[in-house]
Amino acid sequence: MKKHTLIGLRTEYLGRALAAAVISLICLFLPYVQLSDGKNSLFQVFLKLLGDSGRTGLSVIVFGTVILTITSAATGIFSVIKMGKTQTKIWQCLQIFSAIFWVILLFAGKMILEGNGIAAHVLVKELGIGFWIGLIASIVSLVLIMKAAYTNTGYIVLTVLGIIWMFPVLWILLTSLRAEQGYYVGYFFPKNLTLQNFVKLFGNESVLPFGRWWINTLIVASCGCVINTLIILATAYTLSRTRFSGRKAFMNVLMIIGMFPGFMSLIAVYNILKGLGINQSLLALVVVGAAGAAMGYHVTKGFFDTIPRAVDEAAIIDGASRLQIFLHVTLPLSKSIIVYTVLGNFLGAWSDYIFPSMLFGDKQSSYTVAVGLYWLTDFRRIDRYYTQFAAGAVVVALPIVILFIFLQRFYVEGLSGSVKG
Amino acid sequence: MDKTFQKRNFITIFTKGDWISKLSYVIPGAGNIFRGQVIKGLLFLLLGICYLIFMVQKGAGFLRDLVTLGDTLQGMNFNEALGIYEMSEGDNSMLILLFGVVAVVITVSYLAIWLFSIYSGEAARANAAAGKKVRNFVEDVKSLANENIRFLLLAVPVTGLLVFTVMPLIYMILMAFTNYDQDHQPPGNLFDWVGVTNFFTLLSAGDRLSATFWPVLGWTLIWGVAATFSCYFGGMILAMIINSKGIRFKKFWRTIFVFTMAIPSFISLRVVATMLGERGIINVLLQQWGFTESALPFLSNVTWARVSVILVNFWIGVPVTMLMVSGILMNIPGELYESAKLDGAGPVTTFRKITFPYMWFVTTPYLIANLISNFNNFNPIFFLTGGEPHTLTYYKGAGKTDLLVTWLYKLTKDSNDYNLAATIGIIIFLISAVFTLISFSRSGSMKNEEGFQ
């Protein structure tokens, strides 16, 4: 490994990187697109746009691609002749932009050509061979330079994935700020920004009781997460720290119950709630959530299992009762798992759909946000309410995202705990 | 050893016991009352009387009706005195079944209390015989905070489970053996026991139902495997890239991916569903960029829709695995990698020979649990496609991307075929049970539960 290294460079990659860069340079002069006057290369399109004074702003991408490809290849030749870390870094920087421009050109080509009246109808799959080879060569060249300069090529993957992952998030954010109403718009970035969608959502004249829904959900989720956490902690502690006959059997029963799809029995639950007189109320949601909470004891029990028994025994010698040990010894040691349980239950109650939707039917005033937002995206309403749905989605997701990002550490601990147990 | 010190079981408490012990079988709490634990004994007695009153007044009737599930049909009777037809109330099979289950659960619970009272009386006797002090009521209550803490801590969870999980579950399981479908809707109609007919119609070939069931089951299995393994490997590779040397701003990258995990899934799925629609933004952009001339049928063509749900699930599921794997990756001893590097192993070989075997070993139970939960993964299907596209070859309501669970949901909510829904529920349970058994036979985690302590 070491003998190929020259001042933090892997020189064997440099030559290949240069070759790739030169290929993409040559591709500028190979056929790019079929126009009325025959096959044109990217360079010819470049010249045409240069001569057109009424060109659109997007034309800058063609200029950028051509100029950057030429400069990058030139820098490449220079840094291969006179090897050095700084030259390679500069070359890498140029090649990054060059590759980005090639990729953007893939997406923007149609708009540039049609927008400037150069071509009437362009399809990406009909683009000439010069474009495809140029695009690939440019990316290959970038990868090779990064290898030569000991830059982790994982950045490329992460950037591409990151864009894909954030795309829907960005879309819903932009939609929530969009002034133009309606589901269908022919563009990604809104023409006018507004906060009206949020105002409408919570305004008094709104047809949708969204504020009500939000409060409902907050009540259910807050009560639910506190009660559920207490129940889970109690169950997990008992099953982890005490030994009694029937303990294993109890755990097996819980496991077997858990293997039935939960909402299979909702009809029966509904009838029981009706018998108790609390159907169609938020209380029902909290009660039913708490009743089933014990089944989620696994992760917490796994955590309690890892607290050494010696701690308990020491406390017993000091004369502490089991309850005191639970409250004053075990719980303070379990902060991370408590946060995990609270967070998980809050999230669960916050985004539960099936049960509330069955419980409330048409009683809109009791809806939780999950039911309400789903109701909004029905195809009969989507055109009217799409921007408001987006605003609602942002309002609902925001508290959770903030909570989550701050408490990520605990979540990871809980997750890796769930693998162990 | 004196015989009184020997531990007695349910039968010997009776045969070897004195008259008090024998009496405690008939009068609950007698064993406690006559041995100094008056309050405790009276409580048992009170519970026994309550149960008896319930059974005499209602319970026995509930249990009796359970056999027939009602036989009087609701109908119109001519009232001669008034000269009009009036509605006569019939039996409601659904309520009969529900009350029957309630009565059964109450009876079983009472049996448990009854047994407990016998043993409690026996314990009092054994203590007295051994010369120990028999605990009074206050001490009993205090023991709840100590050696009997399980009664204190598990009381609420167990009651909750009994009322809102076990009871409804028994009710639904029983329903699988009735003909409670849309043609037999109470109160207008009665339904009755039909044995295992539902299972036969669902499983046997030829019927419309079985022509739906088998393809849906097949897709459920394909979906489960595809969703689990795509997210597993995707998340693993992502975690390895983020954690690899030379990547800076690790926290930033992680947060980007965690974003999709933090957004409640019904929101992100609904958003993506609207984006993938025929006039959704993805189709708009693809046409604008010249990738396609006409809108792509992301969610309306069978194959497209199936691939789409798997991909979207990938988008949601990868960050979860990524976070989980990150923790485990750090546990792999670094020396392994160094020695592999010295031997000239490339990144692919290291992954194949070190990282993957280690991960596989640690995460197998998680993987199987994940597989089961993916078979029952309601959200991605329901919120993305709602089971569509529909097809004429399936039983009404079911679509080509429906999983067993979403079909079950539709059968309960839309078409009221409760018996079929219950049958499918039981089949899902069987599938889960099989995979769980496989998981247990493969992992020692249940056996060495005490291993950490």
Side-chain angles (χ1 to χ4, degrees), chain B residues 74-361:
Chain B
Q74 159 185 314
M76 302 297 253
N77 286 347
F78 190 67
N79 185 330
E80 295 202 8
L82 293 169
I84 49 163
Y85 279 98
E86 49 181 31
M87 191 95 124
S88 70
E89 218 170 273
D91 289 334
N92 186 333
S93 304
M94 188 196 65
L95 290 180
I96 289 176
L97 186 59
L98 188 63
F99 289 145
V101 171
V102 172
V104 168
V105 170
I106 288 180
T107 304
V108 172
S109 315
Y110 180 70
L111 278 179
I113 293 172
W114 176 69
L115 273 180
F116 184 68
S117 76
I118 292 171
Y119 276 98
S120 166
E122 167 65 12
R125 185 198 65 79
N127 270 344
K132 287 187 214 154
K133 188 177 173 292
V134 175
R135 278 204 297 222
N136 63 28
F137 188 67
V138 178
E139 285 165 332
D140 267 334
V141 171
K142 272 185 186 160
S143 81
L144 282 181
N146 217 348
E147 69 265 25
N148 282 332
I149 194 169
R150 59 180 186 277
F151 296 117
L152 179 72
L153 291 184
L154 289 187
V156 177
V158 169
T159 319
L161 282 175
L162 266 185
V163 177
F164 287 106
T165 308
V166 176
M167 216 148 72
L169 208 55
I170 298 174
Y171 175 73
M172 278 316 274
I173 292 173
L174 289 177
M175 210 167 262
F177 304 96
T178 68
N179 58 357
Y180 186 5
D181 55 18
Q182 50 181 344
D183 299 328
H184 298 84
Q185 291 288 325
N189 235 323
L190 298 169
F191 62 81
D192 206 353
W193 298 109
V194 293
V196 289
T197 321
N198 293 324
F199 289 87
F200 276 119
T201 39
L202 210 56
L203 299 179
S204 69
D207 196 272
R208 183 86 172 265
L209 272 170
S210 64
T212 313
F213 173 76
W214 290 109
V216 171
L217 175 68
W219 162 239
T220 304
L221 294 177
I222 296 174
W223 151 265
V225 172
T228 308
F229 286 94
S230 62
C231 292
Y232 182 67
F233 287 107
M236 202 184 322
I237 291 168
L238 185 61
M240 276 166 37
I241 294 177
I242 292 181
N243 290 318
S244 65
K245 266 184 221 158
I247 295 281
R248 284 203 278 172
F249 314 115
K250 287 190 169 41
K251 201 158 181 202
F252 163 77
W253 293 114
R254 217 170 282 148
T255 309
I256 282 193
F257 293 100
V258 163
F259 234 87
T260 56
M261 207 178 136
I263 300 171
S265 68
F266 75 92
I267 289 186
S268 45
L269 287 166
R270 275 322 287 172
V271 168
V272 175
T274 61
M275 291 173 77
L276 288 174
E278 206 196 317
R279 294 181 302 145
I281 189 66
I282 299 208
N283 266 321
V284 167
L285 288 181
L286 284 181
Q287 288 173 52
Q288 212 174 72
W289 292 336
F291 283 90
T292 168
E293 270 175 295
S294 52
L296 297 174
F298 285 113
L299 298 175
S300 47
N301 170 293
V302 180
T303 321
W304 279 88
R306 288 182 171 180
V307 174
S308 300
V309 286
I310 290 176
L311 284 180
V312 174
N313 184 65
F314 184 75
W315 175 71
I316 286 186
V318 157
V320 187
T321 329
M322 189 260 299
L323 279 187
M324 185 203 77
V325 168
S326 295
I328 303 172
L329 276 179
M330 289 168 202
N331 292 342
I332 305 181
E335 306 94 72
L336 282 179
Y337 288 113
E338 276 159 32
S339 54
K341 209 171 176 183
L342 284 178
D343 292 342
V348 178
T349 324
T350 346
F351 175 75
R352 226 160 43 85
K353 298 280 182 191
I354 301 174
T355 317
F356 183 67
Y358 187 90
M359 291 294 307
W360 185 255
F361 176 76

Side-chain angles (χ1 to χ4, degrees), chain B residues 4 8 11-25 30-32 34-35 121-122 124-126 128-129:
Chain B
T4 47
R8 292 175 176 175
I11 296 167
T12 49
I13 292 174
F14 189 83
T15 52
K16 296 196 179 143
D18 53 3
W19 65 273
I20 299 179
S21 298
K22 287 191 169 106
L23 189 65
S24 74
Y25 279 72
N32 299 92
F34 293 106
R35 290 196 173 99
E122 167 65 12
R125 185 198 65 79

